[in-house]
Amino acid sequence: MPFTYNRSVRFQDTDAAGVVYFANILGICHEAYEESLEAAGIDLKAFFSNPSVAFPIVHANVDFFRPIFCGDKLLISLIPQKLGEEKFEIAYEISLAYVIVAKAITRHICIDVSSRIKQELPSEIVNWLENNRRDTEEAERRKAREIM
Amino acid sequence: MPFTYNRSVRFQDTDAAGVVYFANILGICHEAYEESLEAAGIDLKAFFSNPSVAFPIVHANVDFFRPIFCGDKLLISLIPQKLGEEKFEIAYEISLAYVIVAKAITRHICIDVSSRIKQELPSEIVNWLENNRRDTEEAERRKAREIM
Amino acid sequence: MPFTYNRSVRFQDTDAAGVVYFANILGICHEAYEESLEAAGIDLKAFFSNPSVAFPIVHANVDFFRPIFCGDKLLISLIPQKLGEEKFEIAYEISLAYVIVAKAITRHICIDVSSRIKQELPSEIVNWLENNRRDTEEAERRKAREIM
Amino acid sequence: MPFTYNRSVRFQDTDAAGVVYFANILGICHEAYEESLEAAGIDLKAFFSNPSVAFPIVHANVDFFRPIFCGDKLLISLIPQKLGEEKFEIAYEISLAYVIVAKAITRHICIDVSSRIKQELPSEIVNWLENNRRDTEEAERRKAREIM
């Protein structure tokens, strides 16, 4: 099964139009990424605060299918994918009561923080990518069998 | 027992100093308030999105005792108190591994949204105030007995 | 000339990695959109707070070319384009000392707020789109002549 | 004259109640502080990103007198004051068309970042405090003379 993260929409996420401010959905997706890293045993403080290796986002996109309101109980599912030796991307599906309300992607590169030069993904991230990938593929195979 | 809310510190909560941006702690406290209202059966969408009665914050304050980092597992406890027919305040204690790292207060008035004139607290909020108050007092009495 | 907006990067825009949090660049682009609407004589309070017609974002994307730091003086240039009777998009270029550091797009539909049904773009937005388009095309023609 | 900072209220600053989300006013005050430091010749990137000395906020409070809407043109005036060898505070007045809509205070201590131990305020901050103080006192004396 892909990794999933439950998130209630907060008053702070909304704007004067009464729905979630568009850019905040990307922040909610990043929370799902953080939860997924932590579930894989990665220490978030070391990973995000003053590390020697970092994974800045070089591209992000998001599509909205329905308005999202304060109090809505979102489920974010996350599927990461390796894109090369120095790059990966994460696809997110944001759903509400089994209906997809938004989809997003973040693309990350691996850099040495002091030089800001690209470098190979370290083993803890390669493992995280492989484990999440395998879980997702197994879930898809299972689903395909159920359909047959 | 006072109402409590568990909250992981997110990358988005931090700033370039490597710790939580000060104003974000007040946003985290407001999340605890939202969770507490929902636990009392209040519908957050109706309460916060385009209601006829609202509870704007007229005062807030926060004290910081220790730096708070990405990944920290905060526990926010919340004690609300009625301050008159049209007003209440909420005291928050933010702790990390049983150590208090910050304290905050928000003070709210009740207004009619269209006229923005003050009005009496509605029964659902009066009940929420009383129930949270009673739970807290009972916990304090219990604690006092344990000490004796 | 395309509409431009000057924006200093704030401490609050940054995260523990020491650079701008990725989703905040989209918020900065939205500020440029607000400034551009206001420059066209549109009243922002009426436009954004409780209007009968709204322009929710249905798609956004952003590409980052360089890290952006606290105190950086960004220049955001904005080119909107009509995409049909009910839709428009805005392309943003974010530059720092004449170097493009990021690019973004937001795509908007026009809806009736109470029914949330799509409707034709109102004349004030059609005018805003045409004026910004013409200014940009003139600037491009001028630039092309200078090159020849 | 006290240092002043002009700030339009952005859509992102608002929430589903149609007004500025309370904690965001403190963020706007911090922007005024950043502008004031920069006006004194302090390099914001060096000051806020990975410095050896930092000025974390240990207390903040804010009072709201009127609702603040998207598009409102705020004027924030800022009066800093030294509170000892290792501490200062800043008082902010937020006004709209000459009417005060909110007031806030942030209290800062000076620390060595690696040890997080308190230390004396460095000369650039002492100078900034003295210059802002003197400008404010002169303005107050001038105002007093005008009244007499």
Side-chain angles (χ1 to χ4, degrees):
Chain A
M1 250 187 12
F3 182 83
T4 56
Y5 167 60
N6 289 286
R7 172 62 151 74
S8 295
V9 174
R10 305 299 179 187
F11 191 44
Q12 180 161 24
D13 299 321
T14 62
D15 57 36
V19 294
V20 169
Y21 182 73
F22 79 111
N24 290 344
I25 279 292
L26 287 169
I28 291 171
C29 289
H30 201 279
E31 293 178 17
Y33 163 52
E34 295 168 41
E35 285 279 308
S36 164
L37 292 173
E38 195 169 47
I42 292 172
D43 178 70
L44 294 183
K45 186 178 165 183
F47 191 87
F48 283 112
S49 306
N50 238 334
S52 55
V53 179
F55 305 89
I57 290 170
V58 291
H59 171 80
N61 68 61
V62 56
D63 289 284
F64 298 93
F65 308 120
R66 301 208 176 183
I68 306 169
F69 295 93
C70 187
D72 278 354
K73 305 292 177 206
L74 301 178
L75 182 80
I76 297 99
S77 76
L78 171 163
I79 304 174
Q81 185 175 20
K82 206 177 159 190
L83 294 183
E85 294 312 306
E86 305 153 335
K87 205 184 262 192
F88 65 91
E89 80 171 26
I90 309 172
Y92 308 87
E93 279 185 6
I94 301 100
S95 55
L96 178 59
Y98 304 104
V99 176
I100 294 178
V101 293
K103 280 184 164 203
I105 285 172
T106 57
R107 201 166 296 141
H108 304 242
I109 55 165
C110 178
I111 62 164
D112 174 84
V113 169
S114 53
S115 67
R116 298 203 79 90
I117 288 172
K118 277 192 221 173
Q119 64 163 67
E120 268 191 39
L121 297 168
S123 62
E124 64 175 2
I125 284 294
V126 171
N127 291 340
W128 170 77
L129 287 162
E130 281 174 5
N131 291 338
N132 274 279
R133 194 85 212 131
R134 201 182 46 232
D135 292 350
T136 305
E137 281 168 4
E138 271 168 23
E140 277 163 10
R141 267 199 297 277
R142 211 160 36 233
K143 217 193 284 175
R145 275 198 300 272
E146 281 165 16
I147 290 164
M148 288 193 292
Chain B
M1 251 190 7
F3 182 83
T4 56
Y5 167 60
N6 289 286
R7 173 63 150 74
S8 295
V9 175
R10 305 299 178 186
F11 191 43
Q12 179 159 25
D13 299 320
T14 63
D15 58 35
V19 295
V20 169
Y21 182 73
F22 79 112
N24 290 344
I25 279 292
L26 287 170
I28 291 171
C29 289
H30 200 279
E31 294 178 16
Y33 163 52
E34 295 168 41
E35 285 279 310
S36 164
L37 291 173
E38 194 169 47
I42 292 173
D43 179 71
L44 294 183
K45 186 178 165 183
F47 191 86
F48 283 113
S49 307
N50 238 334
S52 55
V53 179
F55 306 89
I57 289 169
V58 291
H59 171 81
N61 68 60
V62 55
D63 288 285
F64 298 94
F65 308 121
R66 301 208 176 183
I68 306 169
F69 296 93
C70 187
D72 278 353
K73 305 293 177 207
L74 301 178
L75 182 80
I76 297 97
S77 76
L78 171 163
I79 303 174
Q81 186 174 18
K82 206 177 158 188
L83 293 184
E85 294 312 306
E86 304 153 336
K87 206 185 259 193
F88 65 91
E89 80 171 26
I90 309 171
Y92 309 87
E93 279 185 7
I94 300 101
S95 56
L96 177 60
Y98 304 104
V99 176
I100 293 177
V101 294
K103 280 184 164 203
I105 285 172
T106 56
R107 201 166 296 142
H108 303 243
I109 56 164
C110 178
I111 62 165
D112 174 83
V113 169
S114 53
S115 66
R116 298 203 78 91
I117 289 172
K118 277 193 221 174
Q119 64 164 66
E120 267 192 42
L121 296 168
S123 60
E124 65 174 4
I125 284 293
V126 171
N127 290 341
W128 170 77
L129 287 162
E130 280 174 7
N131 291 339
N132 274 279
R133 195 85 211 133
R134 200 181 47 231
D135 292 350
T136 305
E137 281 167 4
E138 271 168 23
E140 276 163 10
R141 267 198 297 276
R142 210 159 38 231
K143 219 192 281 174
R145 275 197 301 272
E146 283 165 15
I147 290 163
M148 286 191 291
Chain C
M1 250 189 8
F3 182 83
T4 56
Y5 168 60
N6 290 286
R7 173 62 151 75
S8 295
V9 174
R10 306 297 178 188
F11 191 44
Q12 179 161 25
D13 300 320
T14 61
D15 57 36
V19 295
V20 169
Y21 183 72
F22 79 111
N24 290 344
I25 279 292
L26 287 170
I28 291 172
C29 289
H30 200 280
E31 293 178 17
Y33 163 51
E34 294 168 41
E35 285 279 308
S36 164
L37 292 173
E38 194 169 48
I42 292 172
D43 179 71
L44 294 183
K45 186 177 165 185
F47 191 87
F48 284 112
S49 307
N50 238 336
S52 55
V53 180
F55 305 90
I57 290 169
V58 291
H59 171 80
N61 68 62
V62 56
D63 289 284
F64 298 93
F65 308 120
R66 301 209 176 183
I68 306 169
F69 295 94
C70 187
D72 278 353
K73 305 293 176 207
L74 301 178
L75 182 79
I76 297 96
S77 76
L78 171 163
I79 303 174
Q81 186 174 19
K82 205 177 160 190
L83 293 183
E85 294 312 306
E86 304 153 337
K87 205 184 260 191
F88 65 91
E89 80 171 27
I90 309 172
Y92 309 86
E93 278 185 7
I94 300 101
S95 55
L96 178 59
Y98 304 104
V99 176
I100 294 177
V101 293
K103 280 185 164 201
I105 285 172
T106 56
R107 200 165 297 142
H108 303 243
I109 55 164
C110 178
I111 62 164
D112 174 84
V113 169
S114 54
S115 67
R116 299 202 79 90
I117 289 172
K118 278 193 219 173
Q119 63 163 68
E120 268 192 40
L121 297 167
S123 61
E124 65 174 4
I125 284 293
V126 171
N127 290 341
W128 170 77
L129 287 163
E130 279 173 7
N131 291 339
N132 274 279
R133 194 87 211 131
R134 200 181 44 232
D135 293 349
T136 305
E137 281 167 4
E138 271 168 23
E140 276 163 9
R141 268 199 296 276
R142 210 159 37 231
K143 217 192 282 174
R145 275 198 299 271
E146 282 164 16
I147 289 162
M148 285 193 292
Chain D
M1 249 189 8
F3 181 84
T4 56
Y5 167 60
N6 290 286
R7 173 62 149 75
S8 295
V9 174
R10 305 298 179 187
F11 191 44
Q12 178 161 26
D13 300 320
T14 62
D15 58 34
V19 296
V20 169
Y21 182 73
F22 79 111
N24 291 343
I25 279 292
L26 288 169
I28 291 171
C29 290
H30 201 280
E31 293 178 17
Y33 163 52
E34 295 169 40
E35 285 280 308
S36 165
L37 292 173
E38 194 169 47
I42 291 172
D43 179 71
L44 294 183
K45 186 178 164 183
F47 191 87
F48 283 113
S49 307
N50 238 333
S52 55
V53 180
F55 306 89
I57 290 169
V58 291
H59 171 81
N61 68 61
V62 56
D63 288 284
F64 298 93
F65 308 120
R66 301 209 176 183
I68 307 169
F69 296 92
C70 187
D72 278 354
K73 306 292 177 207
L74 301 178
L75 182 78
I76 296 97
S77 76
L78 171 163
I79 303 174
Q81 185 173 20
K82 206 178 160 188
L83 294 184
E85 295 311 306
E86 304 153 335
K87 205 184 260 191
F88 65 91
E89 80 172 25
I90 309 172
Y92 309 85
E93 279 185 5
I94 300 100
S95 56
L96 178 60
Y98 304 104
V99 176
I100 294 178
V101 293
K103 280 185 164 204
I105 285 172
T106 56
R107 201 166 296 141
H108 304 243
I109 57 165
C110 177
I111 61 164
D112 174 84
V113 170
S114 53
S115 66
R116 298 203 78 91
I117 289 172
K118 277 193 220 174
Q119 63 162 67
E120 268 191 40
L121 296 167
S123 60
E124 64 174 3
I125 284 293
V126 172
N127 291 341
W128 170 77
L129 286 162
E130 280 173 6
N131 291 338
N132 274 280
R133 194 86 211 130
R134 202 181 44 232
D135 292 350
T136 305
E137 281 167 4
E138 272 169 23
E140 275 164 11
R141 268 199 295 277
R142 210 161 35 235
K143 219 193 283 177
R145 275 199 300 271
E146 281 165 16
I147 290 163
M148 286 192 292

